[in-house]
Amino acid sequence: MNIRVRLTLLFALLVASIMLVFSFSVYYLYNQYREQEFRKRLRDKALTTVRLFEDVGGITEELLHDISRNDLTTMYKEEITVYDAHNQVVYDSGEEPYHINANFLNQVRQGKDVSLREGDKEIVGVRYIDQKKQVLVVVAYAIDKYGISILERLRTILITGWAVSLLMVVLAGWLFSSDALRPVSDIIEQVKNISARNIHERLKIGRQNDELAQLAATFNDLLSRLEDAFSSQKSFVSHASHELRTPLAIMMGQLEVSLFQKRTIDEYQETIKETIEEVKKMRDLVNGLLELARLNDEVSQNHFSELRVDDLLWQTRDILIHHCPDYDVQIKFEEFPEEEALLQIKGDSALLQTAFLNLMENGCKYSPDHHVSLTLRAQEDHIRISFSDRGVGISDTDLPHIFEPFYRANSTQYVKGYGVGLALTRRIIELHNGRIWVFSQMGLGSQFVVTIPF
């Protein structure tokens, strides 16, 4: 069952239930009013008859005929019976008295106006005290033929009206649901036409302020993120292919040249050394790509452990100095915390060491004096680490892109690298719920600021 049919049925069921309750209420209330009004007429007729009976000392058949002919309030099959204190009939307007049980008469004699219904006949009992202080019971009964006829007519009208209205409600519900779901159908058709070839297209938003417009806007945001992901992937593959092709081309050229003619052992050794250097470059690039791909698959935080940031920084510095003795890394504290717990964070030591090593190495590599200065400060809810160098700096044009894979600033083209390190570093910091910023000015150097929460 699709949404349109479901909405139509639910709408029809709801409105039909409301109309049914309304119709039943109208019928019930009118029936109550009819009974009350008819019994009031019976009571008035009973009192009028007993007073006339008392005034004239009896009602003859001729007098009763004249009264019935001139009385506009005479009801269908109307009968009036008067009982004395011994429950004996002293007057009856019909041919045969209608049998009333003693319990009914006793209740009326006690001062209660009693009414009941037997079939179509309405019965009313009224107590009356005559001039001789005798307690009489007057019982009037008749059939409300006119009221019942109207009630039946009303019932027919309500049932017919309810059935016709139900059909109209179903039709209106179908049209209403069609109009309400038309934007959904439009969204479905538009989404069907979007693929990887035209992922730049966006859904058209019709009504600007309803939930369907919000749904379309959410789809557009999703498409924007997917487009960015496709573009990033395309750029990633393109740059990776280019970076891998260069050393492969160099190695192939060197080896082919070596095969053109016989060479000395020293020349072969030189070719092998150059080829090994290119292989090392490829290894470093592939390792960086694999690490970046692994981090993009969301490394779990379950194996994070307590780490002291200062110890980790010193260990990373020692590793860098061991491989590059001419690099100079200075670590200092702005304010050394009194509690050692303010230097501890939860994280992966290997990943954080990779991120810190990239920042230290970049600072030294791009500085003429190969010097980078680290400043560590423990704040309220995080640790702040700044990496400052005195390098060539990064232009305002390059700053928004330096964390993109394989992107390299124009001012750093002369230095060996692949543009993977900063992308990898930012991903590692984000996995630790941290943030990284960069501040730079051409000719004055750069400062990378990392914050990691406790």
Side-chain angles (χ1 to χ4, degrees):
M1 182 183 298
N2 58 35
I3 296 179
R4 179 178 299 177
V5 175
R6 189 183 301 117
L7 285 177
T8 302
L9 292 179
L10 289 176
F11 180 73
L13 180 62
L14 177 62
V15 176
S17 300
I18 294 174
M19 293 177 59
L20 185 62
V21 172
F22 173 76
S23 301
F24 178 79
S25 300
V26 170
Y27 181 82
Y28 175 78
L29 293 175
Y30 177 77
N31 186 42
Q32 293 295 312
Y33 171 77
R34 180 199 63 77
E35 287 185 357
Q36 294 174 4
E37 186 68 18
F38 189 70
R39 289 171 181 175
K40 181 177 180 297
R41 290 170 57 196
L42 280 176
R43 185 176 185 280
D44 293 341
K45 189 61 177 288
L47 292 175
T48 300
T49 302
V50 74
R51 287 168 184 159
L52 179 63
F53 174 78
E54 182 182 17
D55 291 341
V56 301
I59 301 178
T60 62
E61 183 176 352
E62 182 180 356
L63 179 60
L64 181 61
H65 177 72
D66 292 338
I67 293 174
S68 299
R69 184 179 57 189
N70 297 314
D71 189 3
L72 297 178
T73 63
T74 300
M75 291 162 281
Y76 181 68
K77 292 188 177 180
E78 169 191 305
E79 294 187 21
I80 309 296
T81 305
V82 181
Y83 295 86
D84 61 11
H86 303 290
N87 292 340
Q88 298 296 320
V89 176
V90 295
Y91 169 75
D92 181 62
S93 62
E95 297 179 358
E96 296 182 359
Y98 185 76
H99 178 72
I100 299 295
N101 59 54
N103 184 42
F104 179 90
L105 297 176
N106 292 334
Q107 290 181 4
V108 176
R109 192 171 284 109
Q110 292 174 4
K112 298 179 182 179
D113 287 349
V114 182
S115 59
L116 55 87
R117 183 174 182 177
E118 292 185 2
D120 293 337
K121 184 174 293 186
E122 302 282 349
I123 304 172
V124 173
V126 181
R127 186 179 71 166
Y128 180 79
I129 301 176
D130 61 9
Q131 297 176 356
K132 299 178 180 179
K133 304 302 180 181
Q134 292 180 347
V135 178
L136 303 178
V137 175
V138 184
V139 178
Y141 35 90
I143 297 176
D144 188 10
K145 184 177 181 181
Y146 177 73
I148 292 176
S149 175
I150 294 178
L151 189 64
E152 291 176 350
R153 180 62 176 170
L154 176 63
R155 182 173 61 226
T156 302
I157 292 173
L158 291 175
I159 293 175
T160 304
W162 180 82
V164 173
S165 300
L166 182 59
L167 294 177
M168 296 176 63
V169 166
V170 171
L171 178 61
W174 179 261
L175 297 176
F176 167 77
S177 60
S178 300
D179 180 70
L181 294 175
R182 185 174 296 112
V184 178
S185 301
D186 295 339
I187 291 175
I188 293 173
E189 292 301 321
Q190 293 181 64
V191 171
K192 285 181 179 179
N193 296 326
I194 296 177
S195 63
R197 295 189 300 272
N198 59 343
I199 198 171
H200 59 277
E201 295 187 3
R202 297 294 180 266
L203 302 180
K204 295 179 182 179
I205 301 176
R207 303 163 184 169
Q208 297 294 326
N209 298 321
D210 59 9
E211 289 77 4
L212 293 178
Q214 297 176 10
L215 177 62
T218 303
F219 268 120
N220 287 338
D221 292 340
L222 174 62
L223 290 173
S224 297
R225 293 194 296 271
L226 289 176
E227 184 180 9
D228 292 340
F230 276 116
S231 300
S232 177
Q233 184 183 31
K234 185 177 180 181
S235 175
F236 184 88
V237 172
S238 175
H239 283 89
S241 301
H242 175 75
E243 295 293 342
L244 290 172
R245 184 174 57 186
T246 300
L248 285 174
I250 293 174
M251 287 188 294
M252 183 175 293
Q254 292 173 339
L255 295 174
E256 287 177 348
V257 170
S258 299
L259 292 175
F260 284 159
Q261 60 183 1
K262 291 183 178 182
R263 300 179 183 274
T264 64
I265 295 177
D266 292 338
E267 289 175 335
Y268 280 125
Q269 287 180 344
E270 183 64 26
T271 301
I272 292 173
K273 288 180 181 179
E274 293 176 356
T275 305
I276 289 175
E277 288 298 320
E278 296 301 325
V279 171
K280 288 180 179 179
K281 292 180 182 178
M282 290 184 60
R283 181 198 61 189
D284 294 340
L285 177 59
V286 170
N287 288 338
L289 294 176
L290 291 175
E291 189 68 19
L292 186 60
R294 185 175 72 90
L295 292 177
N296 285 333
D297 288 337
E298 296 291 343
V299 176
S300 174
Q301 297 183 359
N302 294 333
H303 61 282
F304 281 9
S305 59
E306 293 286 344
L307 302 172
R308 277 196 54 151
V309 177
D310 55 340
D311 291 342
L312 189 60
L313 289 173
W314 283 109
Q315 293 171 10
T316 306
R317 175 188 177 277
D318 293 340
I319 293 174
L320 180 62
I321 298 299
H322 177 73
H323 288 88
C324 303
D326 59 331
Y327 284 1
D328 180 23
V329 180
Q330 182 181 1
I331 301 175
K332 61 181 179 179
F333 293 88
E334 286 189 3
E335 294 180 6
F336 194 86
E338 297 180 358
E339 299 181 11
E340 293 186 0
L342 296 178
L343 292 174
Q344 292 183 340
I345 60 172
K346 284 188 175 182
D348 186 298
S349 60
L351 292 179
L352 287 176
Q353 194 172 78
T354 300
F356 295 155
L357 184 62
N358 285 336
L359 293 173
M360 290 182 188
E361 185 178 10
N362 283 350
C364 294
K365 184 166 56 175
Y366 296 116
S367 297
D369 57 358
H370 301 308
H371 173 81
V372 65
S373 176
L374 274 68
T375 304
L376 180 64
R377 181 175 183 177
Q379 296 183 331
E380 293 181 359
D381 57 351
H382 63 270
I383 290 179
R384 182 178 181 272
I385 312 168
S386 63
F387 300 77
S388 303
D389 63 58
R390 295 189 289 268
V392 294
I394 306 171
S395 67
D396 294 338
T397 304
D398 294 326
L399 272 177
H401 306 286
I402 62 171
F403 292 109
E404 297 177 4
F406 297 106
Y407 185 87
R408 301 194 68 200
N410 293 327
S411 59
T412 62
Q413 296 296 325
Y414 65 92
V415 181
K416 183 180 67 174
Y418 303 103
V420 177
L422 286 179
L424 183 61
T425 298
R426 184 177 68 170
R427 188 69 187 115
I428 292 173
I429 299 302
E430 289 176 347
L431 283 175
H432 289 78
N433 298 319
R435 299 184 64 187
I436 183 170
W437 298 270
V438 59
F439 306 93
S440 185
Q441 190 172 354
M442 292 299 296
L444 298 178
S446 304
Q447 182 185 39
F448 287 82
V449 179
V450 175
T451 60
I452 302 177
F454 294 127

